[in-house]
Amino acid sequence: MLPFLERLLLRWEVYAPVRAGGGVEFTRLGRGGSICLDFPNSRIPPKSIFFPQKETMFRFEKDEQGFRVEPPRGLDRERILFGMRPCDVHAMALLDRVFGGGEFHDPYYLDKRKRSVIVTIGCNQPAATCFCSSTGSGPFSRTGADLFFTDIGESYVVDILTKKGGEVVEEGFLADASSEEVEKAERIASEAAKSLVSFVEVEGLEQSLDRMGESPFWARVSEKCTGCAICTFLCPTCHCFDMADEGGEFKGKRVRHWDSCLFPLFTQQASGHNPRPTGRERMRQRIMHKFNYFVKSFGEAACVGCGRCIIYCPVNFDIRKVIEGIKGQEVEWERSRKVDNRGGGFCARADETGERACGQSLSSHAGQGDRD
């Protein structure tokens, strides 16, 4: 273990990437533990440290005095998350808005978040499935980090970015970086950015999706999906959850656990009606939420280009191809508008979904769209 981490364990709970289960996972370190820093990214995103897959919200018990509710214990010590990749830190910034940026705040998430320090390590060698530069980040993006480490081979160049980060680095613990080391770190960052070969255009995707509520496109792209939901469970920005009471009538606990919009029961109502009865509607919801609804609510897409949903999908579903397909629908739609403008009010054209609709007037398709 790095001497730096051994020092941190004296004061903080330290979470870092370790090899486990045939992959890499973030877990709490003990003294003498072994960490792994030679990895593109962890299989399960570190959001699970702030938003666990299963979490007790409170315990309850009824006696002669009535119901008593016991909230969960807070953190015993402040935490340091060491080794997060820039894409996952970007995802945390998006989840901050979900759980704490609006009228309603989530104390379970926010307590952990406020008492944590984020230490990011840049991606020297992004994977072929990474497209973080397409979604407002990059392999050496410093946004959201308290400390930023650049691996230059024989040592790390450390950028102290916030007051919290400065408190972690004890005075005199780090030596001043030489100009050669700084230049090497900058060169590595530049080369990493150039090596990122995967790029998709997400600009304008929100507007394109506004016109695709009832498009046959959704039926086509959903045919391949099995609905296993691993893409949503491994996504660093997905945050849907369900709640349930466990225990008996007089004693038990309320828990929340991750859920997925790709599951058939996700929207099934008590009456038995399900507004998203097939894979078509559920796939549309997943893409719409990430690239349309979330953009309208928070100003950017709920995708950070980490590539996990591509790597671990059992049927090789590639969200980059879905994005390209949506843009293709838009190109077809714009082309049809030009044809329509030349031809007058009645002509062969593509409707809002990009499909040909011969002999229909412009007004016959206006206002279509499904928001469940």
Side-chain angles (χ1 to χ4, degrees), residues 290-349:
K290 286 191 172 299
F291 298 104
N292 185 278
Y293 308 151
F294 202 91
V295 177
K296 293 183 189 305
S297 298
F298 300 108
E300 58 182 307
C303 174
V304 294
C306 69
R308 288 185 178 91
C309 60
I310 303 168
I311 296 172
Y312 296 105
C313 177
V315 295
N316 298 320
F317 187 96
D318 192 331
I319 197 169
R320 295 170 298 183
K321 294 182 179 177
V322 176
I323 294 172
E324 291 171 356
I326 294 169
K327 301 300 289 187
Q329 296 281 305
E330 179 70 4
V331 169
E332 180 64 22
W333 186 79
E334 290 293 344
R335 185 184 301 131
S336 70
R337 286 183 63 194
K338 295 176 182 177
V339 172
D340 193 57
N341 289 337
R342 290 196 301 269
F346 240 83
C347 63
R349 64 178 292 267

Side-chain angles (χ1 to χ4, degrees), residues 51-69:
F51 175 48
Q53 186 169 358
K54 182 179 181 181
E55 182 172 29
T56 298
M57 304 178 75
F58 58 82
R59 298 178 183 276
F60 60 86
E61 184 172 2
K62 184 179 182 182
D63 53 23
E64 294 78 9
Q65 278 72 45
F67 266 110
R68 289 184 288 108
V69 175

Side-chain angles (χ1 to χ4, degrees), residues 214 222 227 261-269 272-285 370 372:
E214 287 301 320
S222 65
C261 58
L262 292 177
F263 289 147
L265 297 182
F266 184 76
T267 51
Q268 182 158 310
Q269 301 168 3
H273 172 66
N274 192 339
R276 299 179 199 145
T278 72
R280 168 187 172 275
E281 292 85 9
R282 295 192 283 274
M283 178 60 68
R284 179 182 62 194
Q285 170 62 23
D370 180 13
D372 290 339

